[in-house]
Amino acid sequence: MQYFVVMIDYGRRGREAVVDPEITRREVIARIASGEYRNVSFIHEIAENSVEDVTEALLTEAALPEIPPEDLDLQASRLDHVRDLRKHERT
């Protein structure tokens, strides 16, 4: 059996361990990327009789956006940047 333990830190309100044997690695990454899991203290992967800390790997995977190259509009990005720079000009 394999499952993940996600420890979420709520600061002064305490901590919560989310343990769901039905959740997959991909679902954990999706929940981190969507913001459902915030302030993650650690993520442990439990498999058979071993425990592995996979926090850094999963947080890194969740931070990488998957943007297909055809969806990029470089001209719009450049124009947005120019508009943002104009906001800070002194008049």
Side-chain angles (χ1 to χ4, degrees):
M1 176 176 217
Q2 175 186 5
Y3 60 94
F4 292 90
V5 177
V6 181
M7 181 65 75
I8 301 173
D9 187 1
Y10 294 112
R12 297 183 77 170
R13 296 182 297 154
R15 287 182 256 162
E16 174 187 21
V18 180
V19 181
D20 185 356
E22 300 294 320
I23 194 169
T24 64
R25 180 184 182 100
R26 181 176 291 175
E27 290 176 39
V28 172
I29 293 169
R31 290 181 184 189
I32 294 168
S34 73
E36 184 177 341
Y37 289 165
R38 294 180 189 200
N39 300 326
V40 174
S41 293
F42 62 82
I43 303 169
H44 288 168
E45 180 179 10
I46 315 294
E48 298 301 323
N49 293 328
S50 67
V51 178
E52 183 180 352
D53 186 356
V54 294
T55 309
E56 189 173 331
L58 294 184
L59 291 177
T60 302
E61 286 184 48
L64 298 175
E66 295 182 21
I67 302 172
E70 63 271 1
D71 289 348
L72 294 176
D73 187 354
L74 298 177
Q75 183 177 8
S77 296
R78 188 180 59 77
L79 294 175
D80 287 344
H81 181 67
V82 170
R83 186 187 72 227
D84 289 341
L85 290 176
R86 272 193 240 127
K87 288 180 186 178
H88 300 290
E89 288 180 355
R90 292 185 180 175
T91 55

